[in-house]
Amino acid sequence: MANLEEVFRLAGVPTYTFVEPLRYGAIKVAVRTPGRCVVLEGPSGIGKTTTVTQIVENLGKGGEIIQLSARRPADIDMISALPDMGKIGTVVIDDFHRLTDEVKSKLSDYMKLLADTSDEHSQLVLIGINKAGDQLVQVAHDLGLRIDIFKMEANPPDKVEELIAKGADALNVRFLDNSQIANAAQGSFHIAQVLCHYICVEAEITETQETLTEIDVSVDVVIDRVMADLGRQFMTPSLVFAGGSKIRREGRAPYLHILKWLSESDDWSLDLAELLRLHPEHKGSIGQVIKKGHLEALLRDKSEVLGHHFHYEPSTRVLSVEDPKLIFFLRNLVWRNFTRKAGFATDYFKGAYDFALSFAGNQREIAHELHNILEEREVSVFYDHNEQHRIIARNVEDYLGPIYRTEARYVVPILSAEYPTRIWTKFESDQFRQRFGEEAVIPVRLTDVREGFFSEERNYGGLAFDPAGDQTAQLRAIADILCARLEEDREKADVEADEAAQVEASAANDS
């Protein structure tokens, strides 16, 4: 006889439902090899800690193992002191990615010493998130061949189904569709446990049944209930993360995009450097919050809300989720509704740039400051000075032409007396000239330029800039107007999307 909470556990190490993950045998050999240090890395909820615990018990060393966690402040001093403690036996350090770089460096040096001396009385087993081993190798690059690093990825469906079947046998029940539960768990042993627990509660199965009992509750029925319960835990941190340090409705919502990408990640972590290579259109927004340390600052400044859920490693630019239930929550969100709740329109910002600046060299100081002001507001701006590394060795006209023709939502030419006389501004204006009629060009006209200097541009509304006035104050006012235009565009796109959805729903009902 077993109770439901003992079989499908919502927290802690499983007993009835332990399943050997892939490479279990290799991990076991490494753990039982004297002096051989081991690193287990991978997303939360796939069974890293459970695997080590099970191996230790199978080896009959349960009472000899010291288990420490970087999450427990009381353990930090002991972890730091391990290299000076002599024969330590086998020590397991969970969540070691949360240790400071100083402590990681000490552990790396210690692991090299243990490997080089083949110490049979001391061993470290480190458990961390994706690329945790990379962090160690970075602080001690010659460590790589001295330790065993095992990357534990999302579990295949057959392994998750094995867990479900073990739990069902312990309770003497049969689920409607084990594969459906496994698919919903998306490779996480922990999520599979949670879903099975909720299904059993819904079916009023609280302990082992005397006779085999069929459960006709599908996983779809309980997902809404699971989401409601998880929402109480994760909605606030998700909204705080999505909003960043300050919600800028005119901006490109970089933190919202990061969160969405995180929900779509196969291994519940993001290599942000790699993602920006795949999505260069976000380099002006997401690239900036990474490059300038804003993401790191957000997680630090709002650690009380976000610290238990997200971990960012600046050295590898990897953002990870600490709790598999959070990933499940993000993957099952209605993102359109969440986006609005976070304070943004649901326009997902087509095009690489919101604005492309065009100016003669004499106005570079003006363009540079306007670029910085807009970038502060998380708006994506094409400014040639930031693109030099991409332009070199390429055909400049081929590179610049599409930006001014189509890739920027708006072109902002700074119309000075020098503007019509420069080769590159003539080329750029030739690319965007036809966009005046598309309401996609917003001229900034210097007031010291004589009337009639420009031709058809005078027929379109623009903004004035007085070179003799307060430059910063004027540019901030111009940025306010530009951003208000963006915000209005996105609200309009939201209304149009709602209307289209209503038409589609009406057509579906009529059919």
Side-chain angles (χ1 to χ4, degrees), residues 80-91:
S80 182
L82 288 173
D84 304 315
M85 293 174 61
K87 299 176 182 179
I88 62 171
T90 298
V91 177

Side-chain angles (χ1 to χ4, degrees), residues 247-267:
I247 293 178
R248 303 181 185 276
R249 300 180 195 279
E250 72 278 5
R252 289 211 157 200
Y255 301 97
L256 176 67
H257 277 82
I258 291 173
L259 197 66
K260 184 68 164 62
W261 283 346
L262 195 54
S263 75
E264 297 166 350
S265 169
D266 290 335
D267 58 6

Side-chain angles (χ1 to χ4, degrees), residues 211-484:
T211 59
L212 181 63
T213 302
E214 300 276 351
I215 297 179
D216 61 358
V217 177
S218 74
V219 67
D220 293 330
V221 171
V222 303
I223 282 180
D224 286 344
R225 182 181 164 194
V226 173
M227 285 296 290
D229 287 349
L230 294 182
R232 287 188 282 274
Q233 181 180 359
F234 296 124
M235 181 60 79
T236 295
S238 297
L239 290 172
V240 169
F241 187 97
S245 56
K246 179 181 179 181
I247 293 178
R248 303 181 185 276
R249 300 180 195 279
E250 72 278 5
R252 289 211 157 200
Y255 301 97
L256 176 67
H257 277 82
I258 291 173
L259 197 66
K260 184 68 164 62
W261 283 346
L262 195 54
S263 75
E264 297 166 350
S265 169
D266 290 335
D267 58 6
W268 316 334
S269 67
L270 287 180
D271 183 332
L272 291 169
E274 176 63 24
L275 274 169
L276 284 176
R277 283 193 288 271
L278 297 175
H279 300 279
E281 69 274 15
H282 291 287
K283 64 181 180 293
S285 54
I286 295 175
Q288 291 303 312
V289 303
I290 297 170
K291 180 180 178 181
K292 295 184 176 180
H294 297 328
L295 174 58
E296 187 179 359
L298 172 68
L299 296 177
R300 180 184 64 247
D301 296 343
K302 299 189 177 182
S303 60
E304 289 187 5
V305 179
L306 303 177
H308 296 294
H309 306 294
F310 301 95
H311 179 78
Y312 179 61
E313 179 54 49
S315 64
T316 58
R317 292 190 173 181
V318 172
L319 175 70
S320 300
V321 163
E322 299 278 16
D323 190 330
K325 295 191 292 294
L326 173 54
I327 281 291
F328 181 85
F329 174 75
L330 294 176
R331 286 177 174 172
N332 287 278
L333 275 176
V334 179
W335 274 88
R336 184 176 182 80
N337 295 342
F338 177 79
T339 297
R340 286 181 169 174
K341 194 168 185 177
F344 299 101
T346 53
D347 174 9
Y348 267 81
F349 326 132
K350 299 178 179 64
Y353 303 97
D354 295 311
F355 299 107
L357 303 182
S358 177
F359 57 95
N362 301 54
Q363 277 65 54
R364 179 166 296 281
E365 182 182 346
I366 296 172
H368 181 74
E369 185 169 1
L370 179 59
H371 159 265
N372 289 346
I373 292 170
L374 289 170
E375 197 174 70
E376 285 174 7
R377 299 178 67 156
E378 297 174 0
V379 169
S380 180
V381 184
F382 174 79
Y383 171 57
D384 63 349
H385 184 73
N386 289 345
E387 304 287 329
Q388 293 304 311
H389 62 292
R390 295 187 177 91
I391 295 175
I392 54 174
R394 298 181 64 175
N395 184 303
V396 180
E397 292 188 3
D398 288 347
Y399 183 82
L400 294 178
I403 293 172
Y404 290 101
R405 284 197 301 270
T406 59
E407 291 182 9
R409 180 177 296 219
Y410 292 104
V411 177
V412 181
I414 300 174
L415 301 180
S416 62
E418 296 82 13
Y419 190 88
T421 68
R422 299 295 189 263
I423 294 175
W424 281 112
T425 49
K426 184 179 186 307
F427 166 76
E428 291 164 6
S429 62
D430 285 343
Q431 307 306 307
F432 66 74
R433 190 176 301 277
Q434 79 282 359
R435 301 188 68 188
F436 275 97
E438 302 169 4
E439 300 181 5
V441 182
I442 306 174
V444 174
R445 300 185 179 95
L446 271 63
T447 57
D448 61 354
V449 178
R450 69 181 184 275
E451 188 74 22
F453 191 87
F454 297 104
S455 55
E456 72 272 17
E457 290 88 344
R458 281 291 177 184
N459 298 324
Y460 296 92
L463 302 170
F465 179 87
D466 181 1
D470 184 324
Q471 175 171 303
T472 298
Q474 290 185 85
L475 292 179
R476 288 199 176 278
I478 289 171
D480 286 342
I481 295 170
L482 294 176
C483 290

